[in-house]
Amino acid sequence: MNQHSQQPIIVWFRRDLRISDNAALYHATLRARPIIPLFIFDTDIINSLSSDGAAFNFQAECLQDLNEGLQRIGGRLFCRKGKALQVHAKLIQEASPSAIFYNRDYEPHARDRDRAVEQLYRSHGIEVQSFKDHVVHEPEEVLTLQNRPYSIFTPYMKAWKSLPVQSPFPTPAKITVAPVESCGILNAHDLHKQVTIPRPLCRGGETQAKKVWEQFIRTSLASYSSNRNIPSIKGTSRLSPYIRFGCIAVRTLYRDLLALKSIPIEAFLNELIWREFYQSVMYHFPDVLTASYKRAFDTLPWNTDTEFLHRWRSGHTGVPLVDAGMRELNQTGWLHNRVRMVVASFLTKQLFIHWKQGEEYFESKLLDIETASNNGGWQWAASTGVDPKPLRIFNPELQAQKFDPEGVYIKTYVPELQNVPLQHLFAPHRMSLDEQHRCGCIIGKTYPRPIVDHRLASEKFKKAYMQLLR
DNA sequence: TGACGTTTTGT
DNA sequence: CAAAACGTC
């Protein structure tokens, strides 16, 4: 081999912390050159992200598992800390790479960063290759007949399903690495991030992700469409933190789903498509990240008082299902999707607080936070986004009756209501004083009175919203 | 992945 | 007459 063929290829891992079905890693191994598997603790991202330390610990677990995976195929992971561009500039000097491979990210700030990095490498005459990996179909691939992006889900979903499917990429059997200095895997403590989430939903890593996915298929997928709405049972896949960090490829999920016979996959598949729909919305309409898609709604008389916001965040609104949800979020870094919709509807349409406030709080707490899905979900909940629907205002009391009929979920997270009889559990403030004393739940004392009246607040929001529609 | 009031249906 | 279906916001 001549000198040139020994020049390594950098595989830059970002949101694809796995060795199986990884487009960039797989394509790099086809070149039969040494590889530098690289992860950067990007100080620009770390400083701007409000994520709880638990998310950084989760990331560290993912990186640990990735390192072990790479070791099994003869390699290892190299980590650096710093501004991405500077880290790359230094690495170019140290390692004289022949190419850099990475998987594409569709967030505006990530695209800016990647453009700058690409320019840097090209200015040194180094090959740059990026790959589709974070989604099954990219924002540029799912377009109308006029080559326009979709802003309505159903036609998007139909177009998405009509596209040809890429098979998963095989896991490399063996790689050779070109060793460089590494700072080791940094967790929340190392990065000076405070951990406030006491019981994170799950541990990170490709190994865990595979187990969770296989168990979901085995035990829960068949009943997904009905059980996914019940927050007290594990009816959903709970894969979202793994998908966010790329511990498992959505390509693999899609292939596994299509291979299933006699299990209905539509409901679950649609959730994957919703995720890609919002990736597409963010990519084509990046302004949604700073303002409502329907701009007029930003002029509604939003409540800027912080007392309600604090009570919502901490789960002390006096509305049992809302409080249970916010406490699940605060304690585990995850929240059941049905309850996400309920707490989001409550913040925006009962407390009349702008969805940006809720989006920001979710970003700070959720292990599974993806900018596109979070933004899309919040704008959906606030009825300010794409995919127009009639104004929907959730009634937390009815939602609880329907989806937590035994009150199991509420009692798990709101121990103050432990002994409240079921017929009062969803509206404990309607108990008589006698009943309150009998079950040891004193409204205004051991559990708050609801901070808003659902009916009044709904009518106020509906009126303001409808006025803008004209 | 609405709520709610009204109409129709099934027993 | 309860439950399902429908229509409207």
Side-chain angles (χ1 to χ4, degrees):
Chain A
M1 270 187 227
N2 62 34
Q3 186 58 36
H4 185 71
S5 71
Q6 285 307 309
Q7 279 185 286
I9 298 175
I10 296 170
V11 175
W12 183 17
F13 288 90
R14 299 107 60 88
R15 293 168 186 231
D16 49 352
L17 306 183
R18 64 178 186 281
I19 59 167
S20 66
D21 190 11
N22 183 318
L25 176 65
Y26 168 74
H27 284 97
T29 59
L30 293 182
R31 297 284 180 89
R33 283 166 184 263
I35 289 173
I36 301 176
L38 172 72
F39 183 82
I40 300 174
F41 294 95
D42 187 332
T43 46
D44 284 338
I45 295 176
I46 293 163
N47 293 336
S48 67
L49 256 191
S50 64
S51 285
D52 191 86
F56 290 93
N57 281 338
F58 188 90
Q59 175 180 265
E61 290 158 8
C62 297
L63 292 168
Q64 197 65 53
D65 196 59
L66 174 63
N67 186 38
E68 286 165 20
L70 288 166
Q71 283 172 349
R72 280 197 300 278
I73 57 173
R76 60 158 289 192
L77 182 67
F78 300 96
C79 300
R80 296 278 174 107
K81 184 184 171 193
K83 288 176 182 290
L85 206 57
Q86 291 173 6
V87 170
H88 283 293
K90 193 147 178 281
L91 203 55
I92 289 172
Q93 299 307 321
E94 286 174 33
S96 324
S98 61
I100 178 167
F101 285 17
Y102 59 84
N103 293 316
R104 284 191 281 276
D105 186 321
Y106 309 99
E107 286 186 25
H109 76 268
R111 291 171 65 200
D112 290 344
R113 175 200 62 199
D114 292 349
R115 262 192 295 271
V117 169
E118 178 177 354
Q119 211 167 40
L120 172 71
Y121 278 85
R122 291 209 193 284
S123 74
H124 285 80
I126 300 168
E127 178 188 356
V128 178
Q129 290 240 28
S130 69
F131 299 87
K132 171 173 75 168
D133 190 80
H134 195 54
V135 293
V136 174
H137 300 307
E138 288 189 306
E140 299 277 19
E141 293 179 302
V142 190
L143 298 170
T144 66
L145 291 177
Q146 289 79 38
N147 270 338
R148 300 281 308 144
Y150 287 99
S151 60
I152 303 175
F153 176 74
T154 306
Y156 172 91
M157 178 260 286
K158 286 177 180 159
W160 190 99
K161 285 180 176 167
S162 73
L163 294 175
V165 182
Q166 163 72 54
S167 294
F169 299 107
T171 307
K174 178 95 179 77
I175 64 170
T176 309
V177 296
V180 292
E181 246 175 65
S182 172
C183 69
I185 291 166
L186 309 179
N187 60 21
H189 177 260
D190 302 323
L191 298 169
H192 310 294
K193 290 282 180 178
Q194 208 192 340
V195 179
T196 67
I197 289 164
R199 299 185 283 108
L201 175 78
C202 54
R203 286 186 58 79
E206 179 175 6
T207 312
Q208 273 301 113
K210 192 160 181 284
K211 277 186 200 160
V212 170
W213 173 232
E214 283 167 1
Q215 177 161 335
F216 172 68
I217 291 178
R218 232 179 14 252
T219 64
S220 307
L221 182 57
S223 49
Y224 176 76
S225 65
S226 52
N227 284 353
R228 67 170 174 163
N229 283 315
I230 315 292
S232 63
I233 60 181
K234 291 189 174 180
T236 65
S237 74
R238 304 188 174 213
L239 270 182
S240 53
Y242 298 109
I243 295 174
R244 176 223 172 156
F245 286 99
C247 300
I248 194 160
V250 285
R251 209 166 22 236
T252 298
L253 303 183
Y254 191 32
R255 186 271 321 264
D256 290 351
L257 288 175
L258 291 184
L260 293 170
K261 312 286 171 209
S262 75
I263 298 184
I265 61 165
E266 286 309 300
F268 184 77
L269 178 57
N270 273 351
E271 296 306 310
L272 294 181
I273 302 176
W274 269 106
R275 173 177 170 278
E276 301 201 359
F277 175 60
Y278 285 139
Q279 291 278 334
S280 170
V281 170
M282 173 184 66
Y283 179 89
H284 292 289
F285 310 103
D287 287 350
V288 295
L289 299 184
T290 52
S292 294
Y293 177 77
K294 296 170 189 157
R295 285 304 178 85
F297 293 119
D298 286 335
T299 67
L300 283 176
W302 297 102
N303 189 352
T304 53
D305 173 63
T306 54
E307 165 72 11
F308 279 3
L309 182 59
H310 284 310
R311 285 183 164 272
W312 176 79
R313 284 180 181 157
S314 66
H316 292 89
T317 67
V319 180
L321 185 56
V322 172
D323 290 344
M326 296 311 290
R327 295 181 196 190
E328 176 176 40
L329 174 63
N330 292 329
Q331 287 171 32
T332 71
W334 185 80
L335 178 54
H336 189 279
N337 190 55
R338 164 61 53 180
V339 190
R340 289 187 200 203
M341 295 189 285
V342 172
V343 302
S345 171
F346 185 80
L347 182 78
T348 55
K349 292 164 175 171
Q350 305 292 295
L351 303 185
F352 222 122
I353 292 174
H354 197 284
W355 59 265
K356 287 292 292 179
Q357 298 287 331
E359 180 193 38
E360 199 173 288
Y361 191 66
F362 273 22
E363 181 137 343
S364 75
K365 290 290 175 185
L366 283 170
L367 295 174
D368 64 23
I369 195 69
E370 285 207 56
T371 301
S373 304
N374 193 38
N375 180 271
W378 274 99
Q379 293 225 41
W380 181 87
S383 304
T384 65
V386 292
D387 204 35
K389 288 262 159 56
L391 178 63
R392 279 194 271 237
I393 301 176
F394 284 65
N395 180 334
E397 195 180 325
L398 291 180
Q399 289 284 312
Q401 273 168 18
K402 264 193 214 170
F403 301 118
D404 190 28
E406 307 297 320
V408 175
Y409 177 77
I410 287 172
K411 289 186 176 183
T412 301
Y413 289 102
V414 190
E416 302 97 294
L417 301 174
Q418 199 58 53
N419 298 315
V420 174
L422 192 58
Q423 75 264 29
H424 292 302
L425 185 63
F426 308 127
H429 65 285
R430 286 207 289 270
M431 284 191 287
S432 68
L433 269 178
D434 241 25
E435 289 165 323
Q436 293 180 31
H437 282 286
R438 263 201 298 270
C439 65
C441 173
I442 314 302
I443 297 306
K445 210 161 175 189
T446 62
Y447 187 71
R449 184 171 298 284
I451 57 178
V452 287
D453 177 84
H454 179 264
R455 192 174 206 102
L456 288 178
S458 298
E459 277 164 14
K460 184 183 162 200
F461 186 89
K462 200 184 284 185
K463 213 172 149 190
Y465 183 93
M466 289 307 177
Q467 211 151 36
L468 272 185
L469 277 190
R470 283 187 222 120

